[in-house]
Structure formats: structure tokens, C-alpha cells
Amino acid sequence: MSRIGKQPVTIPSGVTAKADGGSFTCSGPKGNLEFRFHTDMSVEVADGAVKVTRPSDTKQHKALHGLTRALIANMVNGVVEGYSRGLDIQGIGYDAKIDGNNLSIRVGFAKPAVLEIPKGLTVTTPHPTRIEVAGPDKQQVGQFAATVRRVRPPDPYTTKGIKYADEVIKKKAGKSFGAGQA
């Protein structure tokens, strides 16, 4: 058995979980999430825990077993605690602000990059060079943070750009001329 897949996911108080057909729904204080799992996997909710089982020991079923259990655990954790990702903007004149349902980022282009904030996410700018993305869906939070970073990835020579808060950019040395060149 999969070491991850065989562990049951405990459902904390205040969270309702339901599995029917090929769908798993979970709701809690931070929101509601729904997940359609593979038809070969079976998900059962009983005694305050979610149990995932697989029909056979084929390579695909083993992979799906752990994956399904991990995604369900992320959903349960997301509706209770939520997920967040921080981004830092580095560079002179670079900043971000929120205009209604859009995130406007100025990072050295002729016009600011405008990104629509997806439904279910909370995006804040505590100060102009910091962006906080939060929400119950781990995949959605990570995807939107990656989309924001993709607007201007950090340059390894100047370290200017948008980087994750916990990311370390190693600065590269520029061109160096040898002493013997004329």
C-alpha cells in the first residue's frame, strides 16, 4: 500500500465533507471546495475521517492512490487554515496596487501589467512592493502567484523583478575584462 494513500485524513470540527459518485466536496470556515477524483479510486467518509482505497496494485493505481489522498488532505487543510503566498517586487519605480478586481503591476514596461484576480482568492498589497495571495485552494493560490511572478521574473544580474518572498536569488557577476586585453 502507498504510505501516503493508506493514511486516513482526519476531518476537524466545523468542516463538512461528502463523497458521492466521483466527487468530493469539503466546506469549512474559509470556503467550499470540490474535487472530481479518478473513477478507479474509492473515497469513503466515515467516523470523522476520509479513507481512500485503490482497486489493484498497478503502477497507475498506486500513483493515483497517494495523489487523491494528498489532494483531499490539501482541501481539508485549505478550508480550515487556508494557504498564502507572498511576492516581493524589487527595482526602482516598481510597484503594485489593487484596482477593484484587478492587480496592476508597474515593473518597467510602457504600460502597467493588469491581472484579473480570480474568484475565491484574496490579494492584498500591504505596501507597494509586497503582494500577498491567499485562499483555500492550494493550487489556485500557487498558480496565481506564479502568473504574477511571470510578469517580470527576477534578473540574476541585477536582482530586479518579482520574486517569491522565500526565494533566494543568487546574483551573477557581470562581464569582467582580463588584465592582459588591450
Side-chain angles (χ1 to χ4, degrees), residues 2-181:
S2 167
R3 281 186 254 169
I4 293 173
K6 70 180 176 183
Q7 299 171 356
V9 178
T10 57
I11 301 172
S13 61
V15 175
T16 59
K18 184 174 68 170
D20 56 333
S23 178
F24 178 80
T25 57
C26 186
S27 62
K30 297 279 185 178
N32 303 326
L33 295 175
E34 184 176 351
F35 166 59
R36 295 200 49 80
F37 53 88
H38 196 274
T39 56
D40 289 347
M41 297 295 111
S42 63
V43 177
E44 301 167 2
V45 180
D47 301 327
V50 179
K51 183 96 171 138
V52 180
T53 56
R54 66 175 185 240
S56 69
D57 286 338
T58 63
K59 191 171 186 177
Q60 182 185 14
H61 287 160
K62 286 180 179 180
L64 286 171
H65 190 210
L67 172 71
T68 304
R69 189 261 177 210
L71 291 175
I72 289 172
N74 287 342
M75 288 174 62
V76 171
N77 188 35
V79 297
V80 174
E81 297 175 12
Y83 293 98
S84 66
R85 195 79 161 125
L87 296 128
D88 290 329
I89 303 173
Q90 294 181 340
I92 297 173
Y94 289 11
D95 66 353
K97 65 179 178 177
I98 295 176
D99 297 327
N101 195 33
N102 294 324
L103 176 66
S104 177
I105 308 169
R106 293 188 312 151
V107 283
F109 299 122
K111 295 180 180 178
V114 179
L115 300 172
E116 185 178 347
I117 299 170
K119 188 177 178 182
L121 289 184
T122 305
V123 179
T124 58
T125 53
H127 48 85
T129 59
R130 176 80 175 181
I131 301 168
E132 291 287 335
V133 181
D137 189 357
K138 186 176 185 178
Q139 190 275 333
Q140 191 179 26
V141 169
Q143 181 62 50
F144 187 71
T147 302
V148 171
R149 184 182 183 277
R150 200 176 307 127
V151 170
R152 174 74 86 169
D155 180 33
Y157 295 100
T158 62
T159 66
K160 289 169 46 171
I162 302 172
K163 69 178 195 79
Y164 295 119
D166 57 352
E167 183 178 13
V168 176
I169 306 297
K170 290 185 180 179
K171 189 169 182 178
K172 291 183 176 180
K175 288 185 179 179
S176 62
F177 295 99
Q181 292 182 350

